[in-house]
Amino acid sequence: MVPHLVTALNGPINELEQRILDSMPAIERWFRLEWMEHTPPFYSSVDIRNAGFKLAPVDTNLYPGGWNNLTHEMLPLAVQAAQAAIEKICPEAKNLLIIPENHTRNTFYLTNVLQLQRIFHMAGLNVRIGSINPEIKESTDILLPNGETIRLEPVVRTKRRLGLKDFDPCTILLNNDLSAGAPGILEELHEQFLLPPLHAGWSVRRKTRHFQSYEEVAKRFGKLLGIDPWLINPMFNQCGDVNFAEGTGIECLRSNVDALLTKIRRKYKEYGINEKPFVVVKADNGTYGMGIMTVRDVADLDQLNRKTRNKMSVIKDGQTVNDVIIQEGVLTNERMNDAVAEPVVYMMDRYVVGGFYRVHAERGVDENLNAPGASFVPLAFAESAHLPQPGIKPGASVPNRFYMYGVVGRLAMLAASYELEATDPEAEVYD
């Protein structure tokens, strides 16, 4: 089952789809050369919005959850990609330790961890799950909503290595985004590969840095295809020293929101788009859909109610919001059973391995869908992500649409690799 676009079939997105299909050999060669120079993130997921006149990533996650939303048919792709990724990093790997988030009461999240365990087990590794949650003091079995059981074990730190009792892994996979900072137990490991690296966590990472990198990627890709990079790139501004709780820094927010809305209006006029521009204000280090608000008019900022200010002032793990990214809002004009939908593309190493539609019946086309009440419908990526169908008119082919989503997902993943290089504390050269 595939969402339908509620926009006309002759808009810019179909021209973009045609351009991407016509340029497929050049695109794949371009990616291949990029991956010779840059290391892809170990795994990632990208939220994409299709406005019918523009297709752009709006968020890139380097510790993706939601693997349980991929279908059984997608698993072979994920297993192959996992094998390729591990082979590059630690070819002789035998034991893999997964370290999840600490919220053990979220059984849907733990279903995702179990799926990761299954993928790496099928990739040929002994896989166990080690919790850094202080509440997990002994081996603990938790029953999941699908009837399966997951076992969490307390991690054991020796002087130079991390593992479990009687289990010494050469590779440690983090599925924990480190919003509250990197715990000391994960630092200074000896001859163990920590994936992703600590500087990929939200204690270091910033959305603005990611979208600066993405802007660079989009410009180069736009030049390759001969398109306006704006068609695949959400413009943004940023603001530091905002305190929503105390109402300080709002003037900075006002001026940057106003400037960005003006730029969007100019673009809409250029393309003859009759939509009302909007921006999305997000915590610069935000995650889990927290610390997000939609602004359609600067005047909205003068009337922020207490509920909105409270929502914007604190995010996951009680982190206070001071820096925000102001991102061009991208409508989503895809629907599933009349509910608003957006594709989420999943990647491991440099490969697209699957994805799903995030669907929310109670949210509008200009609102964040990563919120309570969202449901997930798998994409048919398994047989189609890399097998577009030339010769079919744009907008009419599911595989062609998904191929285009996979290209945009990989552009965001490439931007993440630029971003991680720029923030690597062990890099010899700093930007």
Side-chain angles (χ1 to χ4, degrees):
M1 185 181 178
V2 178
H4 57 278
L5 263 182
V6 293
T7 49
L9 287 176
N10 56 0
I13 278 303
N14 290 323
E15 292 164 28
L16 177 64
E17 184 179 307
Q18 192 63 59
R19 187 69 62 93
I20 284 175
L21 291 169
D22 292 345
S23 310
M24 189 171 68
I27 289 170
E28 295 305 326
R29 178 177 182 273
W30 184 82
F31 274 122
R32 190 165 65 246
L33 295 176
E34 285 291 330
W35 296 130
M36 288 171 70
E37 299 289 327
H38 305 281
T39 304
F42 185 78
Y43 58 0
S44 54
S45 69
V46 178
D47 297 356
I48 297 174
R49 308 273 286 208
N50 186 347
F53 55 84
K54 176 174 184 141
L55 178 76
V58 293
D59 210 5
T60 301
N61 191 348
L62 300 184
Y63 297 89
W67 290 90
N68 51 305
N69 294 316
L70 304 189
T71 63
H72 190 71
E73 290 75 26
M74 296 176 194
L75 283 184
L77 279 178
V79 171
Q80 281 181 317
Q83 286 171 327
I86 291 289
E87 216 168 273
K88 261 197 310 199
I89 294 155
C90 183
E92 68 280 5
K94 190 168 77 171
N95 295 337
L96 174 80
L97 180 66
I98 298 177
I99 296 184
E101 295 278 359
N102 284 353
H103 40 235
T104 52
R105 289 179 184 84
N106 185 340
T107 50
F108 288 102
Y109 167 74
L110 292 176
T111 307
N112 143 75
V113 177
L114 191 64
Q115 179 82 311
L116 276 174
Q117 184 178 31
R118 188 176 290 121
I119 288 167
F120 286 98
H121 174 73
M122 288 193 283
L125 294 161
N126 300 316
V127 188
R128 283 162 70 176
I129 300 163
S131 178
I132 56 174
N133 184 344
E135 292 176 17
I136 302 291
K137 296 183 170 62
E138 58 187 4
S139 182
T140 305
D141 291 342
I142 298 172
L143 184 65
L144 301 177
N146 61 5
E148 295 182 292
T149 300
I150 188 169
R151 174 165 293 178
L152 303 181
E153 301 177 71
V155 294
V156 176
R157 173 72 197 239
T158 58
K159 189 174 180 184
R160 308 182 77 181
R161 289 176 77 85
L162 190 67
L164 305 174
K165 188 184 176 193
D166 305 323
F167 186 76
D168 185 32
C170 92
T171 308
I172 297 163
L173 178 65
L174 282 179
N175 196 243
N176 179 321
D177 63 25
L178 308 177
S179 292
I185 197 169
L186 298 178
E187 293 177 339
E188 296 179 20
L189 298 174
H190 180 67
E191 292 180 356
Q192 281 181 308
F193 296 94
L194 186 66
L195 306 167
L198 291 178
H199 66 279
W202 281 121
S203 50
V204 174
R205 198 171 172 233
R206 294 293 178 269
K207 290 180 192 285
T208 42
R209 196 180 283 122
H210 174 75
F211 282 101
Q212 278 164 358
S213 298
Y214 184 80
E215 190 170 31
E216 183 187 335
V217 168
K219 281 178 182 168
R220 294 181 49 228
F221 187 75
K223 197 172 176 183
L224 175 76
L225 259 63
I227 61 165
D228 180 352
W230 178 76
L231 293 172
I232 55 169
N233 179 36
M235 298 185 289
F236 72 94
N237 279 341
Q238 67 187 109
C239 226
D241 297 324
V242 179
N243 188 316
F244 286 98
E246 295 176 10
T248 56
I250 301 299
E251 195 47 52
C252 167
L253 198 56
R254 274 184 62 97
S255 61
N256 279 287
V257 165
D258 193 37
L260 189 53
L261 283 170
T262 302
K263 283 171 77 175
I264 301 168
R265 279 189 206 102
R266 207 172 293 138
K267 275 293 182 186
Y268 279 17
K269 190 174 179 186
E270 180 186 334
Y271 282 92
I273 295 160
N274 297 317
E275 299 284 356
K276 186 175 169 63
F278 67 100
V279 299
V280 180
V281 179
K282 307 179 184 180
D284 207 6
N285 59 336
T287 179
Y288 279 86
M290 298 171 79
I292 296 178
M293 69 176 174
T294 300
V295 181
R296 299 167 188 86
D297 193 299
V298 176
D300 297 349
L301 296 172
D302 297 331
Q303 302 150 21
L304 291 180
N305 60 33
R306 183 182 294 276
K307 184 181 174 186
T308 303
R309 290 208 309 270
N310 288 345
K311 183 184 83 170
M312 290 300 298
S313 60
V314 178
I315 53 170
K316 183 172 172 254
D317 292 336
Q319 299 298 299
T320 305
V321 175
N322 293 117
D323 302 311
V324 295
I325 179 171
I326 303 152
Q327 194 176 56
E328 174 189 352
V330 182
L331 296 165
T332 179
N333 269 319
E334 293 192 273
R335 299 284 187 285
M336 182 167 282
N337 294 337
D338 295 328
V340 178
E342 66 183 8
V344 185
V345 176
Y346 274 65
M347 290 158 291
M348 195 172 290
D349 194 57
R350 60 196 179 114
Y351 306 103
V352 173
V353 297
F356 52 80
Y357 275 98
R358 183 183 285 122
V359 182
H360 207 304
E362 293 161 25
R363 291 284 168 122
V365 294
D366 59 355
E367 291 184 294
N368 168 43
L369 304 188
N370 187 7
S375 57
F376 307 97
V377 179
L379 289 173
F381 264 122
E383 61 277 347
S384 60
H386 291 289
L387 298 174
Q389 300 169 332
I392 294 180
K393 70 175 184 176
S397 162
V398 171
N400 290 356
R401 172 74 50 79
F402 290 166
Y403 176 73
M404 181 169 66
Y405 291 164
V407 167
V408 171
R410 286 184 286 164
L411 291 174
M413 172 170 60
L414 180 59
S417 75
Y418 286 20
E419 174 196 358
L420 290 178
E421 285 167 15
T423 56
D424 185 350
E426 295 178 13
E428 292 175 20
V429 180
Y430 290 88
D431 285 353

